[in-house]
Amino acid sequence: MSKSSVAVIDYGMGNLHSVASALEKVGDGVKVMVTDCPETILSADRVIFPGVGAIRDCMAELKSRGLDEVIQEVAAQKPLLGICLGMQALLENSEENGGVECLDVLPGAVKFFGSDLRDSTGGRLKVPHMGWNNVVQAIEHPLWAGIPDASRFYFVHSYYVDAPEFVAGSCDYGVQVHAALACENVFAVQFHPEKSGDMGLRLLSNFLNWDRPAAFFPVTD
Amino acid sequence: MALAKRIIPCLDVDKGRVVKGVNFVGIRDAGDPVEVAKRYNEQGADEITFLDITATHEGRETTAHIVEQIATEVFIPLTVGGGIREIKDIRAMLNAGADKVGINSAAIHRPDFVKEAADRFGSQCIVIAIDAKRVADEADGRPRWEIFTHGGRKPTGINAVEWAIKMVNNGAGEVLLTSMDGDGTKAGYDLALTRAISDAVPVPVIASGGVGNLDHMVEGIIEGRADAVLAASIFHFGEYTVPEAKAYMAARGIEVRL
């Protein structure tokens, strides 16, 4: 890998220590910049947009720092990985906090799991969806390289992504959770790769090695 | 293909040392929490929980430093409990690399603390830690459990099931439920208590206190309806490994991450 740079967007939503540590672990000398500076973000070779917490606060923090437009600009230019709340913020809107308009980088909505979520046998499912669940890959993609289909990743969320297209992976939790989306140079995941052990580290490593937008290849049987 | 039930080794840390652990084969310093955490990670633990039982402020800084070291090498969720009394304690642990913090007695002194913490950091990182004991039955004959503090010595008179509901309503995203009757006995989790609380709250419940063998873990999940099982001594003393526990649970139809 070339000694490229990756910006981790720091907008006050959650602890970014783990994301930065994981990138340093797999980065082989990559320059990891945890920053809210628009110029730094725009100058990086690739960008990670993480986040935990509530979407209203997330959007407010982004706007107050002028980062909403920065992220939209990044999404049009260079590899961008959205993680958890960062993924949700890339969609059109979210039901959380009474309804919040998001960045509209990817089509789709963020919905609440509901208060009476059931599995296929009628068993009650807890919310938040917390723990390790299988992600079934819907497409071939450079970010899935070396990651077996249906590998488990660590999730923690109460709202889930429902997208009409660009689904790269999904998981079952009472509803079909669109756990990964891929569109040109944007990849977004609901799970936490920085907390998903070896498979998560592999996905981050793949992101750091991902130079060109992938073509969109649906898996066919 | 479903959400896995979690197995969570717990390290009791005092002044920078794991205090229940001895006798790890192949590890020279059995009491080093960083080494122990790395070993559990390699074994496939789904999360790791640290309970800081150090009484002093300096000791807690040591724990934060340990968490920081672990978080640069172990990429699974880390929970830290013990001595979390103020917002700044939570921030310090999250900044050190913890993903979740457990709040116990501070919530009893000031129930709004959980609400403030969840508002500030999000419910996903606030765990309400409940230490409960069975007491005399309710007038109608139903069992009753109450919250105890000071290692199970001091009763509070608070109904444990009602307390769990209240704390989840205040924003706690998970319940770490320890049976003080079971703790250290190796007689198994208090299954009736675990089930009562798991059925009462919408969030995940971690069963703790009393595990002595792998059947106890299976019972905790199936009869107690826990979403995760926490254990300390059966792993520390090398009686069982995490992979053995997972294989045993999987053979009994429980979804685990292998």
Coordinates of all heavy atoms in Angstrom, one line a residue, chain A residues 15 17-18 21-22 25 52-53 124 126-134 136 150 152 154 156 173 194-197 201, chain B residues 1-4 46-47 71-72 75-77 94-96 98-100 124 173-174 198-199 201-203 227 255-257:
Chain A
N15 N -16.8 8.2 20.3 CA -15.4 8.0 20.5 C -14.8 7.4 19.3 O -15.2 6.4 18.8 CB -15.3 7.1 21.7 CG -14.1 6.2 21.7 OD1 -13.0 6.7 21.4 ND2 -14.3 5.0 21.9
H17 N -11.5 6.8 18.9 CA -10.3 6.1 19.3 C -10.2 4.7 18.6 O -9.2 4.4 18.0 CB -10.3 5.9 20.8 CG -9.1 5.2 21.4 ND1 -8.9 3.9 21.2 CD2 -8.1 5.7 22.1 CE1 -7.8 3.5 21.9 NE2 -7.3 4.6 22.4
S18 N -11.3 4.0 18.7 CA -11.3 2.6 18.1 C -11.1 2.6 16.6 O -10.4 1.8 16.1 CB -12.5 1.9 18.5 OG -12.7 1.8 19.9
S21 N -7.5 3.5 15.9 CA -6.6 2.4 16.3 C -6.7 1.3 15.3 O -5.6 0.7 14.9 CB -7.0 1.9 17.7 OG -6.8 2.8 18.7
A22 N -7.9 1.0 14.9 CA -8.0 -0.1 13.9 C -7.4 0.2 12.6 O -6.7 -0.6 11.9 CB -9.5 -0.5 13.7
K25 N -3.7 -0.1 12.9 CA -3.4 -1.5 13.0 C -3.2 -2.1 11.6 O -2.3 -2.9 11.4 CB -4.4 -2.3 13.8 CG -4.3 -3.8 13.8 CD -3.7 -4.3 15.0 CE -3.7 -5.8 15.0 NZ -2.9 -6.4 16.1
V52 N -21.8 7.5 16.5 CA -22.8 6.9 17.3 C -23.7 8.0 18.0 O -23.2 9.1 18.1 CB -22.2 6.0 18.5 CG1 -21.4 4.8 17.9 CG2 -21.3 6.8 19.4
G53 N -24.9 7.6 18.4 CA -25.7 8.6 19.0 C -27.0 8.8 18.2 O -27.4 7.9 17.5
R124 N -39.6 -13.0 20.6 CA -39.4 -11.6 20.8 C -37.9 -11.2 20.6 O -37.0 -11.9 21.0 CB -39.8 -11.2 22.2 CG -39.7 -9.7 22.6 CD -40.4 -9.5 23.9 NE -40.1 -8.2 24.4 CZ -39.5 -8.0 25.6 NH1 -39.1 -9.1 26.4 NH2 -39.3 -6.8 26.1
K126 N -35.0 -8.2 21.0 CA -34.7 -7.0 21.8 C -34.2 -5.9 20.9 O -33.6 -6.1 19.8 CB -33.5 -7.3 22.8 CG -33.9 -8.4 23.8 CD -35.1 -7.9 24.7 CE -35.4 -8.8 25.8 NZ -34.5 -8.8 26.9
V127 N -34.5 -4.7 21.3 CA -34.0 -3.5 20.6 C -33.3 -2.6 21.7 O -34.0 -2.3 22.7 CB -35.2 -2.7 20.0 CG1 -34.7 -1.4 19.4 CG2 -35.8 -3.5 18.9
P128 N -32.1 -2.1 21.5 CA -31.3 -2.2 20.3 C -30.9 -3.6 19.8 O -30.8 -4.5 20.6 CB -30.0 -1.4 20.6 CG -30.0 -1.4 22.1 CD -31.4 -1.4 22.6
H129 N -30.7 -3.7 18.5 CA -30.1 -4.9 17.9 C -28.6 -4.8 18.3 O -27.9 -4.0 17.7 CB -30.3 -4.8 16.4 CG -29.6 -5.8 15.6 ND1 -29.0 -5.5 14.3 CD2 -29.3 -7.1 15.8 CE1 -28.5 -6.6 13.8 NE2 -28.6 -7.6 14.7
M130 N -28.2 -5.6 19.3 CA -26.9 -5.5 19.8 C -26.2 -6.8 19.8 O -26.7 -7.8 20.3 CB -27.0 -5.0 21.2 CG -25.6 -4.7 21.9 SD -25.8 -4.3 23.6 CE -26.4 -2.6 23.5
G131 N -25.1 -6.9 19.1 CA -24.3 -8.1 19.1 C -23.9 -8.5 17.7 O -23.9 -7.6 16.8
W132 N -23.5 -9.8 17.5 CA -22.9 -10.2 16.3 C -23.9 -10.9 15.4 O -24.5 -11.9 15.8 CB -21.8 -11.2 16.6 CG -20.7 -10.7 17.4 CD1 -20.7 -10.4 18.8 CD2 -19.3 -10.2 17.0 NE1 -19.5 -9.9 19.2 CE2 -18.6 -9.8 18.1 CE3 -18.7 -10.3 15.7 CZ2 -17.3 -9.3 18.0 CZ3 -17.4 -9.8 15.7 CH2 -16.7 -9.3 16.8
N133 N -24.1 -10.4 14.2 CA -25.1 -11.0 13.3 C -24.5 -11.3 11.9 O -23.5 -10.6 11.6 CB -26.3 -10.1 13.2 CG -27.6 -10.8 12.8 OD1 -27.6 -12.0 12.3 ND2 -28.8 -10.3 13.2
N134 N -25.1 -12.2 11.2 CA -24.5 -12.6 9.9 C -24.9 -11.5 8.8 O -26.0 -11.1 8.8 CB -25.1 -13.9 9.4 CG -25.0 -15.0 10.5 OD1 -25.9 -15.3 11.2 ND2 -23.9 -15.7 10.5
V136 N -25.2 -11.2 4.9 CA -25.2 -11.9 3.6 C -24.8 -10.9 2.5 O -25.5 -9.8 2.4 CB -26.6 -12.5 3.4 CG1 -26.6 -13.1 2.0 CG2 -26.9 -13.5 4.5
A150 N -21.8 -14.2 4.7 CA -22.5 -14.5 6.0 C -21.6 -14.4 7.2 O -21.9 -14.9 8.3 CB -23.2 -15.8 6.0
R152 N -20.0 -12.9 10.5 CA -20.6 -12.1 11.6 C -19.9 -10.8 11.8 O -18.7 -10.8 11.9 CB -20.7 -12.9 12.9 CG -21.7 -14.0 12.8 CD -21.8 -14.6 14.2 NE -22.7 -15.8 14.2 CZ -24.0 -15.8 14.3 NH1 -24.6 -14.7 14.5 NH2 -24.7 -16.9 14.3
Y154 N -20.3 -6.9 14.3 CA -20.9 -6.4 15.5 C -21.8 -5.2 15.3 O -21.3 -4.2 14.7 CB -19.8 -6.0 16.6 CG -20.4 -5.6 17.9 CD1 -20.8 -6.5 18.8 CD2 -20.5 -4.2 18.2 CE1 -21.4 -6.1 20.0 CE2 -21.1 -3.9 19.4 CZ -21.5 -4.8 20.3 OH -22.1 -4.4 21.5
V156 N -24.8 -2.4 16.8 CA -25.6 -1.9 17.9 C -26.3 -0.7 17.4 O -25.8 0.4 17.1 CB -24.7 -1.5 19.2 CG1 -23.5 -0.7 18.8 CG2 -25.5 -0.8 20.2
Y173 N -33.1 -9.3 11.1 CA -33.4 -9.1 12.5 C -34.9 -8.7 12.6 O -35.2 -7.5 12.8 CB -32.5 -8.0 13.1 CG -32.5 -8.1 14.6 CD1 -32.0 -9.2 15.3 CD2 -33.0 -7.0 15.4 CE1 -32.1 -9.2 16.7 CE2 -33.1 -7.0 16.8 CZ -32.6 -8.2 17.4 OH -32.6 -8.2 18.8
E194 N -14.7 -1.7 13.2 CA -13.6 -1.5 14.2 C -13.8 -2.3 15.5 O -13.0 -2.3 16.3 CB -13.5 0.0 14.5 CG -14.5 0.6 15.4 CD -15.8 0.9 14.8 OE1 -16.1 0.5 13.6 OE2 -16.6 1.6 15.4
K195 N -15.0 -2.9 15.6 CA -15.3 -3.7 16.7 C -15.7 -5.1 16.3 O -16.3 -5.9 17.1 CB -16.5 -3.1 17.5 CG -16.1 -1.8 18.3 CD -15.2 -2.2 19.5 CE -14.4 -1.0 20.0 NZ -13.4 -1.4 21.1
S196 N -15.4 -5.5 15.1 CA -15.8 -6.8 14.6 C -14.7 -7.8 14.4 O -14.7 -8.6 13.4 CB -16.6 -6.6 13.3 OG -17.8 -5.9 13.5
G197 N -13.7 -7.6 15.2 CA -12.6 -8.6 15.2 C -11.9 -8.7 13.8 O -11.8 -7.6 13.1
L201 N -11.5 -5.9 10.7 CA -10.2 -5.3 10.3 C -9.9 -5.6 8.8 O -9.4 -4.7 8.2 CB -9.1 -5.9 11.2 CG -9.1 -5.6 12.7 CD1 -8.0 -6.4 13.4 CD2 -8.9 -4.1 12.9
Chain B
M1 N -28.3 -18.5 11.2 CA -28.3 -17.1 10.6 C -29.3 -16.2 11.5 O -30.4 -16.0 11.2 CB -28.9 -17.1 9.2 CG -28.0 -17.9 8.2 SD -26.5 -17.0 7.8 CE -27.2 -15.9 6.6
A2 N -28.7 -15.8 12.6 CA -29.5 -14.9 13.5 C -28.5 -14.3 14.4 O -27.3 -14.6 14.4 CB -30.5 -15.7 14.3
L3 N -29.0 -13.3 15.1 CA -28.1 -12.6 16.1 C -27.6 -13.7 17.1 O -28.3 -14.5 17.6 CB -28.9 -11.6 16.9 CG -28.1 -10.7 17.9 CD1 -27.1 -9.9 17.2 CD2 -29.1 -9.9 18.7
A4 N -26.3 -13.7 17.4 CA -25.7 -14.6 18.3 C -25.9 -14.2 19.7 O -25.8 -13.0 20.0 CB -24.2 -14.8 17.9
D46 N -17.0 -12.6 22.7 CA -17.8 -11.7 21.9 C -17.7 -10.2 22.4 O -17.9 -9.3 21.7 CB -19.3 -12.1 22.0 CG -19.4 -13.5 21.3 OD1 -18.9 -13.6 20.2 OD2 -20.0 -14.4 21.9
E47 N -17.3 -10.1 23.7 CA -17.1 -8.8 24.3 C -16.2 -9.1 25.5 O -16.1 -10.2 25.9 CB -18.4 -8.1 24.8 CG -19.3 -7.7 23.8 CD -20.5 -7.0 24.4 OE1 -20.4 -6.4 25.5 OE2 -21.6 -7.1 23.8
A71 N -7.5 -1.3 24.0 CA -8.3 -0.9 22.8 C -7.5 -0.7 21.6 O -8.0 -0.6 20.5 CB -9.1 0.4 23.2
T72 N -6.1 -0.6 21.7 CA -5.3 -0.5 20.5 C -5.0 -1.9 20.0 O -4.4 -2.0 18.9 CB -4.0 0.3 20.8 OG1 -3.3 -0.4 21.8 CG2 -4.3 1.7 21.3
F75 N -10.0 -5.7 19.0 CA -11.0 -4.9 18.3 C -12.4 -5.6 18.4 O -13.0 -6.0 17.4 CB -10.6 -4.7 16.9 CG -9.4 -3.9 16.8 CD1 -8.1 -4.4 16.7 CD2 -9.5 -2.5 16.9 CE1 -7.0 -3.6 16.7 CE2 -8.3 -1.7 16.9 CZ -7.1 -2.3 16.8
I76 N -12.8 -5.8 19.7 CA -14.2 -6.2 20.0 C -14.7 -5.3 21.1 O -13.9 -4.5 21.7 CB -14.2 -7.7 20.5 CG1 -13.4 -7.9 21.7 CG2 -13.8 -8.7 19.4 CD1 -13.5 -9.3 22.4
P77 N -16.0 -5.3 21.3 CA -16.6 -4.3 22.3 C -16.0 -4.5 23.7 O -15.8 -5.6 24.2 CB -18.1 -4.6 22.2 CG -18.3 -5.2 20.9 CD -17.1 -6.1 20.6
L94 N -14.8 6.3 27.8 CA -15.0 6.3 26.4 C -13.8 6.8 25.6 O -13.4 6.2 24.6 CB -16.3 7.1 26.0 CG -17.6 6.6 26.6 CD1 -18.7 7.5 26.2 CD2 -17.9 5.1 26.2
N95 N -13.2 7.8 26.1 CA -12.0 8.4 25.5 C -10.9 7.4 25.5 O -10.0 7.4 24.6 CB -11.6 9.7 26.1 CG -12.5 10.8 25.7 OD1 -13.2 10.7 24.7 ND2 -12.4 11.9 26.4
A96 N -10.8 6.6 26.5 CA -9.8 5.5 26.7 C -10.0 4.4 25.7 O -9.1 3.6 25.4 CB -9.7 5.0 28.1
A98 N -13.3 2.5 25.7 CA -14.4 1.7 26.1 C -15.6 2.0 25.2 O -15.7 3.1 24.7 CB -14.8 2.0 27.5
D99 N -16.4 1.0 24.9 CA -17.6 1.2 24.1 C -18.8 1.4 24.9 O -19.8 2.1 24.5 CB -17.8 0.0 23.2 CG -16.6 -0.2 22.3 OD1 -16.5 0.5 21.3 OD2 -15.8 -1.1 22.6
K100 N -18.8 0.8 26.1 CA -20.0 0.9 27.0 C -19.5 1.1 28.4 O -18.4 0.6 28.7 CB -20.8 -0.3 26.9 CG -21.3 -0.7 25.6 CD -22.3 -1.9 25.6 CE -21.7 -3.1 24.9 NZ -22.7 -4.2 24.9
Q124 N -26.8 3.5 23.6 CA -26.0 2.3 23.2 C -24.8 2.1 24.0 O -24.2 1.0 24.1 CB -25.6 2.4 21.7 CG -24.3 3.2 21.4 CD -24.6 4.7 21.6 OE1 -25.7 5.2 21.5 NE2 -23.5 5.5 21.9
G173 N -29.3 1.2 27.6 CA -29.4 0.4 26.4 C -29.2 -1.1 26.7 O -29.4 -1.9 25.7
E174 N -28.9 -1.4 27.9 CA -28.6 -2.8 28.2 C -28.6 -3.0 29.7 O -28.4 -2.0 30.4 CB -27.2 -3.2 27.6 CG -26.9 -4.7 27.6 CD -25.6 -5.0 26.9 OE1 -24.6 -4.3 27.1 OE2 -25.5 -6.0 26.2
S198 N -35.6 -10.0 31.9 CA -35.5 -10.0 30.5 C -36.9 -9.8 29.9 O -37.1 -9.2 28.8 CB -34.9 -11.3 30.0 OG -34.6 -11.3 28.6
D199 N -37.9 -10.4 30.5 CA -39.3 -10.3 29.9 C -39.8 -8.8 30.2 O -40.7 -8.4 29.4 CB -40.2 -11.3 30.6 CG -40.0 -12.7 30.0 OD1 -39.3 -12.8 29.1 OD2 -40.6 -13.6 30.6
V201 N -38.1 -5.9 30.1 CA -37.5 -4.7 29.4 C -37.2 -5.1 28.0 O -37.0 -6.3 27.6 CB -36.1 -4.3 30.1 CG1 -36.3 -3.9 31.5 CG2 -35.1 -5.5 30.0
P202 N -37.3 -4.1 27.1 CA -37.1 -4.3 25.7 C -35.6 -4.5 25.3 O -35.3 -4.9 24.2 CB -37.7 -3.1 25.0 CG -37.5 -2.0 26.0 CD -37.7 -2.7 27.4
V203 N -34.7 -4.1 26.1 CA -33.3 -4.1 25.8 C -32.6 -5.4 26.2 O -33.1 -6.2 27.0 CB -32.5 -2.9 26.5 CG1 -33.2 -1.6 26.1 CG2 -32.5 -3.1 28.0
D227 N -29.7 -12.5 26.8 CA -29.1 -12.2 25.5 C -27.6 -12.5 25.5 O -27.0 -12.6 24.4 CB -29.4 -10.8 25.0 CG -30.9 -10.6 25.0 OD1 -31.6 -10.9 24.0 OD2 -31.5 -10.0 26.0
E255 N -27.7 -20.1 19.1 CA -26.9 -19.4 18.0 C -25.7 -18.7 18.7 O -25.9 -17.9 19.6 CB -27.9 -18.3 17.4 CG -27.4 -17.7 16.1 CD -27.7 -18.6 14.9 OE1 -28.5 -19.4 14.9 OE2 -27.0 -18.3 13.9
V256 N -24.5 -19.1 18.3 CA -23.3 -18.4 18.8 C -22.4 -18.0 17.6 O -22.6 -18.5 16.5 CB -22.6 -19.3 19.8 CG1 -23.3 -19.6 21.0 CG2 -22.2 -20.6 19.1
R257 N -21.5 -17.2 17.9 CA -20.5 -16.8 16.9 C -19.3 -17.7 17.0 O -18.6 -17.7 18.0 CB -20.1 -15.3 17.1 CG -18.9 -14.9 16.4 CD -18.6 -13.4 16.8 NE -17.2 -13.0 16.4 CZ -16.2 -12.8 17.2 NH1 -16.4 -12.9 18.5 NH2 -15.1 -12.4 16.7

